[in-house]
Amino acid sequence: MDPTTDNAGPTTDPRSSRASLEALRAEIAKAVVGQDPTVTGLVVALLCRGHVLLEGVPGVAKTLLVRALAASLELDTKRVQFTPDLMPSDVTGSLVYDTRTSEFSFQPGPAFTNLLLADEINRTPPKTQSSLLEAMEERQITVDGTPRPLPDPFMVVATQNPVEYEGTYPLPEAQLDRFLLKLNVPLPTRQDEIDVLTRHAGGFNPRDLRAAGIRPVATAADLETARAAVAKTTISPEITGYVVDICRATRESPSLTLGVSPRGATALLATARAWAWLTGRDYVTPDDVKALALPTLRHRIQLRPEAEMEGVTPDSVINAILTHVPVPR
């Protein structure tokens, strides 16, 4: 039996696990061009047992990116297209009456997977959006009073169109706060777009990742070993204080009606820790905190209407705070 997949627990070396996770970027690049920062964010979220919100206009390969990640990690994945008529039970599952036994049995929904792609989550009403809250927070789904645990690892990757697009329902603050990271997926550069078209002209089929050459380069055992190593990464009291100062500064910003909660501060500390480990260090620096501040905090703050009218953005507020908060030495 392969020791890296033994049910008794992961036995892989942390250094080899880091190398395997770093190889994800090159593997996913076989299908997705020019999205290295987004891939890195997804790996950080996996290390932190968090969930990710991907925002970008249609057609920038958000769905393909998630499918390629699942294929590279050999994880089970399911996709749900969120629409205005989607019901909560369509995501979580429901009780079905069995005429043979005259009893109700539970039929699991697509949420029972390792990597759940919630596509265009802001095109469905809040009632269905909220069906994921328990799954994201508790790693379980309760139907008819019975809690049912979800697989491990479990991560929700939700895609959403920009809120100014027609037919969208903004996610409530409580649900946004459950996402560890919000990653903006930009339009490709001119050269990246040329590369995309060249691949398609050469016969690339985004629906057939195996033909594109994508193979598993890391396993769930690698991920578990990496999580254990991340948990041992040193965080000094100065770094903890720096994270708290950044988050408290958002609550005092005149441009915001809502600042970062203590949950957000905990999230920033966790993502900085994971990033430090991925870059090969066993301690966290202020630069690690700065590197993850935007994706970890941008969806946890709310602009005042007058600031929004003046062109202020969440990213510009966070960048200004990072400039003014004293950096520990």
Side-chain angles (χ1 to χ4, degrees):
M1 180 179 290
D2 185 347
T4 64
T5 57
D6 191 340
N7 290 333
T11 58
T12 53
D13 180 74
R15 287 171 296 181
S16 66
S17 295
R18 183 189 289 120
S20 297
L21 293 176
E22 288 174 348
L24 284 174
R25 277 185 286 189
E27 200 65 22
I28 293 172
K30 294 177 181 178
V32 182
V33 177
Q35 296 292 356
D36 278 359
T38 308
V39 174
T40 300
L42 289 169
V43 174
V44 166
L46 279 168
L47 290 173
C48 297
R49 292 181 169 86
H51 310 285
V52 177
L53 184 63
L54 298 180
E55 181 172 288
V57 298
V60 291
K62 299 187 296 294
T63 303
L64 178 60
L65 179 63
V66 176
R67 290 178 53 237
L69 174 66
S72 302
L73 269 170
E74 208 170 16
L75 295 178
D76 181 50
T77 182
K78 290 185 174 67
R79 174 180 175 272
V80 179
Q81 181 67 50
F82 279 71
T83 56
D85 60 348
L86 192 74
M87 299 296 292
S89 59
D90 295 330
V91 179
T92 61
S94 59
L95 293 175
V96 177
Y97 184 72
D98 190 336
T99 55
R100 293 173 301 176
T101 62
S102 299
E103 294 179 350
F104 284 94
S105 61
F106 178 67
Q107 183 66 38
F112 287 84
T113 186
N114 296 125
L115 189 55
L116 176 64
L117 174 58
D119 220 351
E120 296 187 304
I121 191 173
N122 60 338
R123 287 204 182 280
T124 198
K127 179 180 180 180
T128 304
Q129 291 174 2
S130 65
S131 66
L132 284 175
L133 282 176
E134 182 187 14
M136 293 170 68
E137 187 67 17
E138 306 294 337
R139 277 6 188 226
Q140 68 177 26
I141 286 174
T142 302
V143 176
D144 196 33
T146 303
R148 293 174 170 85
L150 292 167
D152 184 34
F154 172 73
M155 180 168 77
V156 174
V157 180
T159 71
Q160 71 170 10
N161 297 318
V163 292
E164 62 268 18
Y165 271 56
E166 186 176 352
T168 59
Y169 299 83
L171 294 175
E173 291 81 2
Q175 185 157 2
L176 282 172
D177 206 32
R178 296 306 198 280
F179 285 100
L180 182 73
L181 299 174
K182 179 184 178 184
L183 304 175
N184 294 330
V185 185
L187 287 165
T189 63
R190 182 177 184 274
Q191 185 56 54
D192 285 343
E193 196 163 1
I194 289 174
D195 291 345
V196 171
L197 268 62
T198 301
R199 290 186 182 190
H200 280 263
F204 171 71
N205 181 1
R207 295 172 182 82
D208 190 355
L209 297 180
R210 182 173 297 180
I214 291 185
R215 59 183 179 83
V217 294
T219 65
D222 289 316
L223 186 58
E224 195 60 34
T225 300
R227 287 171 171 175
V230 168
K232 297 177 182 177
T233 303
T234 303
I235 302 173
S236 69
E238 291 78 15
I239 293 295
T240 303
Y242 183 49
V243 170
V244 169
D245 290 343
I246 291 171
C247 295
R248 290 181 68 86
T250 65
R251 302 167 202 162
E252 299 167 1
S253 171
S255 299
L256 302 178
T257 59
L258 178 68
V260 176
S261 68
R263 188 205 306 271
T266 302
L268 180 54
L269 196 64
T271 56
R273 199 180 203 183
W275 174 244
W277 182 83
L278 272 176
T279 52
R281 282 178 285 102
D282 61 357
Y283 59 92
V284 181
T285 69
D287 286 341
D288 298 324
V289 176
K290 290 181 178 180
L292 272 298
L294 286 178
T296 308
L297 303 181
R298 61 165 58 109
H299 56 297
R300 304 175 192 272
I301 60 178
Q302 193 172 83
L303 293 170
R304 292 186 182 278
E306 55 269 27
E308 200 166 1
M309 292 177 64
E310 293 171 1
V312 176
T313 65
D315 284 13
S316 66
V317 172
I318 295 169
N319 280 325
I321 288 171
L322 292 175
T323 301
H324 290 98
V325 172
V327 179
R329 298 188 178 185

